[in-house]
Amino acid sequence: MSRGVILQAPEPLSQLLSDNDLSLADWYGEPLDARQAEYWVRQLLASSARTRLRFRDRLAELVARYWSGRDAEMSYYSLLAIAQNDIERALLELCYGQLLLARKRQPARKHLDAGFALAAHLWPADDYFRVMKRHQALAVLPLSTKTAAPSGLEALLKEACVIDRLTGTARHHDHAEGEHCDTLD
């Protein structure tokens, strides 16, 4: 892949690097190509040498580090130490939990639960229930200390739905006959 092809940041990096408001209800764990992620790690490190990065820029660096295969755990702890309020802490916990969940790694649920607890009073009702339903649906996914192939949110929700139905724990009363359960809304 040539440099010209990867100059524009892919989602979710472009969302984190923008000046637009970030939503605590959005999904920031979509997988990135490792080479593209490495490019953005280097770009963000070069920027941090010239200017102080915002929290959200450092969070984008964490995301890029994770997908590039670099050590993201140390970046997580560094960001945890500098987070200035519940919004930043919630964003960090939710984002890191989503990254771990995208590769079905422990302790994804611990981070998602911590982020949910921090953000619960900050969300409007529709975001609260959307994230709550998403977390409930994804809770059936088996997690491991070993890294699985990366999956985006849609694939994770579909897998969770299948597992839910196969194990008989599905909330069948929530779904009409023939209705798909791979979406939350």
Side-chain angles (χ1 to χ4, degrees), residues 39-53:
Y39 170 83
W40 284 101
V41 169
R42 291 180 184 181
Q43 289 295 112
L44 290 162
L45 288 174
S47 291
S48 70
R50 293 188 304 271
T51 183
R52 182 179 169 164
L53 297 180

Side-chain angles (χ1 to χ4, degrees), residues 80-167:
L80 189 59
I82 66 165
Q84 295 182 358
N85 54 48
D86 282 350
I87 293 171
E88 289 182 351
R89 283 186 285 280
L91 189 58
L92 173 62
E93 292 293 349
L94 290 165
C95 185
Y96 194 58
Q98 292 167 9
L99 292 170
L100 293 172
L101 192 64
R103 306 236 25 204
K104 297 183 194 143
R105 291 186 54 210
Q106 291 285 2
R109 283 191 197 96
K110 177 186 117 178
H111 292 285
L112 291 174
D113 290 347
F116 189 89
L118 287 164
H121 72 282
L122 301 170
W123 280 314
D126 58 333
D127 283 349
Y128 176 90
F129 287 111
R130 179 167 57 113
V131 176
M132 182 185 72
K133 287 178 184 179
R134 181 171 67 211
H135 285 194
Q136 285 175 340
L138 296 171
V140 301
L141 293 173
L143 303 181
S144 173
T145 56
K146 296 180 181 171
T147 301
S151 297
L153 178 59
E154 185 176 331
L156 291 169
L157 289 170
K158 285 178 183 178
E159 182 180 349
C161 182
V162 169
I163 291 169
D164 200 31
R165 286 181 185 254
L166 289 174
T167 59

Side-chain angles (χ1 to χ4, degrees), residues 16-85:
L16 291 167
L17 295 171
S18 76
D19 290 328
N20 298 332
D21 289 338
L22 293 177
S23 170
L24 292 171
D26 285 350
W27 185 263
Y28 300 100
E30 287 301 312
L32 299 176
D33 173 79
R35 289 183 1 191
Q36 212 173 25
E38 178 62 26
Y39 170 83
W40 284 101
V41 169
R42 291 180 184 181
Q43 289 295 112
L44 290 162
L45 288 174
S47 291
S48 70
R50 293 188 304 271
T51 183
R52 182 179 169 164
L53 297 180
R54 304 171 298 176
F55 184 84
R56 62 194 291 157
D57 298 330
R58 301 227 18 225
L59 189 60
E61 181 189 336
L62 167 76
V63 170
R65 278 182 175 279
Y66 185 82
W67 292 116
S68 72
R70 289 185 180 213
D71 182 16
E73 188 175 13
M74 290 307 294
S75 292
Y76 162 77
Y77 286 115
S78 174
L79 286 172
L80 189 59
I82 66 165
Q84 295 182 358
N85 54 48

